[in-house]
Amino acid sequence: MKSIQSVRGMNDLFGEDARFFLFLQEKLGSLFSACQFELLAPPILEKTALFARGIGNATDIVEKEMYTFTDREKESLTLRPEGTAGVVRACLEQGLIHNQIRKFWYLGPMFRHERPQMGRYRQFSQFDAEIFGIATPDVEAEALSILALLWQELQIDKHVRLEINTIGTLEERQQFREAFIDFLTPLKADLDEDSQRRLTTNPLRILDSKDPKTQALLKDAPTLSACLGEASRAHFKTLRSYLDALCIPYHLNPLLVRGLDYYGHTVFEWTTDLLGAQATVCAGGRYDGLVSELGGSPTPAFGFAMGIERLILLLKKTNFQLQDASPQYFIVAEEGQMTECLLLLQDLRRQGISVALATGGGSFKSQMKRADKSGAKYLIQLGGEDTLAGCSHLRIKDLRAEHG
Ligand code: HAM
């Protein structure tokens, strides 16, 4: 019978990737906890309306990438394509953010029906951080400085670059949108196919079209920055002054608009040259309108998400060395000594010592092979011919010395 394969774009996590995943989970969880972020983990499945309303009906994600199905109660449900909408829903439902400053993090799988390739999957993991209740750019600088610190600690700071932009308020974007549509409508036939469609559904996204012909036409187009008012400019200027003071280098990218509708003011992406087309490792921005869009009172918010698989690819590309996970000790069991070995194993583990045991027995030679393979530093042998009679039945060998 033919064996059943996994779903395209949904991968098993094991081996080296799994070790990197565990390392990042621990690293990110402890870093963000130390920065006063709390864990908030909403479910993977939400009502479809949450994403349609939260992310925006005219986005690629909602239009063509969601895993949506009708359940047994005839309700339309969706595997979350991103985490922010679910976090806001949870905050409102649990009363977590009304008139409060709160910071949350979470890590888990997201689902998008995209064309799979290196760095782009249909099930992938994001680490997300979301901050509620602060409208000023200092919180944006704080978040970006945590990320800059993380890149340094992961030794990839030389391989990532920060791109930032401001897309202003809803009213400013509306003003730009009208001027932009007026400019592009007579040129519609010369735009790429996606941009032609977006001209009526989501014109802002035309700005980040990858089509060279479309990009050439945009050279003379009205700019979003020309539509920004004093307050929006001042907000962005202050953020930039903080980044300068923190010595966090950035590139201004006036074409950066992001693929989710909830953003306003600051948007950013950290990209790398080492991952081909899937260059964005971490991305986010300000989304002051989302909480009220989803039924809460107006609440400023800022957040970001990083793709864990892309981060793992980048760490592997840059030869990041994980700490050795081998046990310190490996116990080999002589025939008839298993009970004592199990007791010793339990005792050592109680003391926090990293140790493994050759359960399943086998010949001394095969146990030695297992000890070797485990990477342990020391071998513990109970019983055996050359133990010191009357003293102890325990012998410790330095495996490294013997094999060095
Ligand atoms: P996003 O830009 O859609 O933003 O995704 C964030 C990151 O998730 C990307 O930069 C990338 O590293 C990773 N990612 C996205 N799609 C895939 C995929 N198909 N395969 C592998 N990795 C992928 C958001 O999702 C927003 N919710 C971020 C945010 C949080 N904004 C505010 N708070």
Side-chain angles (χ1 to χ4, degrees):
M1 209 189 289
K2 210 170 164 242
S3 61
I4 298 170
Q5 309 284 301
S6 65
V7 178
R8 200 162 109 81
M10 302 202 179
N11 302 320
D12 301 310
L13 176 66
F14 63 97
E16 193 188 21
D17 285 355
R19 287 192 288 278
F20 270 107
F21 186 94
L22 278 177
F23 162 73
L24 286 175
Q25 191 172 28
E26 266 182 51
K27 171 106 202 146
L28 290 162
S30 56
L31 173 63
F32 280 81
S33 300
C35 296
Q36 271 63 60
F37 285 72
E38 308 164 74
L39 174 65
L40 190 171
I44 288 165
L45 209 52
E46 297 272 4
K47 294 181 181 167
T48 305
L50 174 71
F51 302 115
R53 219 200 299 169
I55 302 172
N57 268 320
T59 58
D60 280 356
I61 296 180
V62 175
E63 259 186 358
K64 49 188 188 197
E65 293 171 2
M66 297 205 302
Y67 281 90
T68 296
F69 65 96
T70 308
D71 77 351
R72 287 165 204 268
E73 273 95 48
K74 309 255 178 302
E75 184 152 43
S76 178
L77 302 177
T78 293
L79 283 170
R80 63 179 181 197
E82 62 97 54
T84 312
V87 164
V88 171
R89 197 259 325 126
C91 285
L92 293 176
E93 199 166 329
Q94 310 307 331
L96 301 178
I97 52 172
H98 188 65
N99 282 335
Q100 292 181 56
I101 291 172
R102 295 293 284 264
K103 303 179 182 181
F104 300 107
W105 69 270
Y106 53 101
L107 190 158
M110 308 289 158
F111 302 83
R112 295 183 194 175
H113 195 278
E114 295 189 87
R115 201 166 40 80
Q117 54 175 254
M118 189 194 60
R120 186 165 70 197
Y121 311 101
R122 291 182 173 172
Q123 177 178 328
F124 58 97
S125 293
Q126 276 184 352
F127 174 88
D128 286 58
E130 316 285 4
I131 304 166
F132 296 96
I134 305 174
T136 44
D138 48 1
V139 77
E140 302 167 13
E142 183 195 353
L144 290 167
S145 77
I146 300 174
L147 288 168
L149 180 71
L150 175 69
W151 309 141
Q152 270 173 17
E153 289 184 0
L154 297 176
Q155 296 150 37
I156 51 172
D157 47 318
K158 301 277 176 296
H159 303 286
V160 290
R161 75 184 219 145
L162 174 61
E163 294 186 23
I164 57 172
N165 189 23
T166 176
I167 57 169
T169 63
L170 193 61
E171 294 70 31
E172 289 158 355
R173 283 194 301 286
Q174 194 61 36
Q175 195 192 329
F176 167 70
R177 193 186 146 107
E178 280 165 25
F180 196 50
I181 293 176
D182 285 349
F183 172 84
L184 284 180
T185 305
L187 309 169
K188 188 172 174 184
D190 298 323
L191 295 173
D192 62 278
E193 210 180 299
D194 266 347
S195 297
Q196 289 193 13
R197 196 171 39 85
R198 283 176 177 152
L199 191 56
T200 40
T201 58
N202 201 353
L204 235 69
R205 286 302 308 281
I206 298 177
L207 287 176
D208 66 10
S209 161
K210 302 284 173 284
D211 183 70
K213 225 174 126 198
T214 300
Q215 277 304 330
L217 288 176
L218 292 181
K219 289 228 160 64
D220 302 317
T223 61
L224 182 51
S225 64
C227 300
L228 298 180
E230 210 32 62
S232 292
R233 286 171 200 272
H235 182 107
F236 197 49
K237 197 171 161 204
T238 309
L239 169 65
R240 286 163 54 191
S241 74
Y242 291 141
L243 294 178
D244 291 338
L246 288 163
C247 296
I248 299 174
Y250 57 84
H251 298 261
L252 290 178
N253 178 356
L255 300 180
L256 181 68
V257 287
R258 310 269 305 123
L260 304 102
D261 275 0
Y262 48 61
Y263 293 112
H265 291 295
T266 309
V267 288
F268 72 90
E269 291 190 356
W270 293 87
T271 59
T272 176
D273 289 334
L274 298 184
L275 296 184
Q278 305 312 311
T280 309
V281 180
C282 177
R286 183 164 278 288
Y287 54 97
D288 294 347
L290 183 60
V291 176
S292 49
E293 181 64 39
L294 294 177
S297 46
T299 306
F302 182 82
F304 59 81
M306 70 183 85
I308 296 295
E309 289 79 4
R310 289 186 193 177
L311 200 49
I312 292 176
L313 284 169
L314 191 53
L315 290 176
K316 289 204 293 195
K317 273 243 150 89
T318 54
N319 275 323
F320 184 86
Q321 294 301 311
L322 286 176
Q323 251 186 10
D324 187 6
S326 315
Q328 183 85 349
Y329 295 95
F330 193 96
I331 308 173
V332 291
E334 293 283 323
E335 218 180 324
Q337 300 277 348
M338 190 44 92
T339 307
E340 280 170 279
C341 287
L342 282 165
L343 285 167
L344 177 64
L345 181 76
Q346 188 186 43
D347 195 34
L348 291 177
R349 282 186 174 158
R350 237 181 230 138
Q351 296 175 53
I353 294 168
S354 118
V355 51
L357 163 67
T359 44
S363 69
F364 185 67
K365 206 170 153 201
S366 75
Q367 290 192 41
M368 279 306 288
K369 266 196 191 149
R370 285 172 65 186
D372 222 15
K373 211 173 148 203
S374 78
K377 282 198 187 68
Y378 301 103
L379 184 82
I380 302 179
Q381 197 181 345
L382 286 179
E385 292 156 18
D386 44 358
T387 46
L388 298 171
C391 227
S392 157
H393 290 277
L394 195 143
R395 207 162 76 101
I396 296 183
K397 263 194 209 169
D398 185 337
L399 287 171
R400 298 277 165 93
E402 236 161 72
H403 292 82

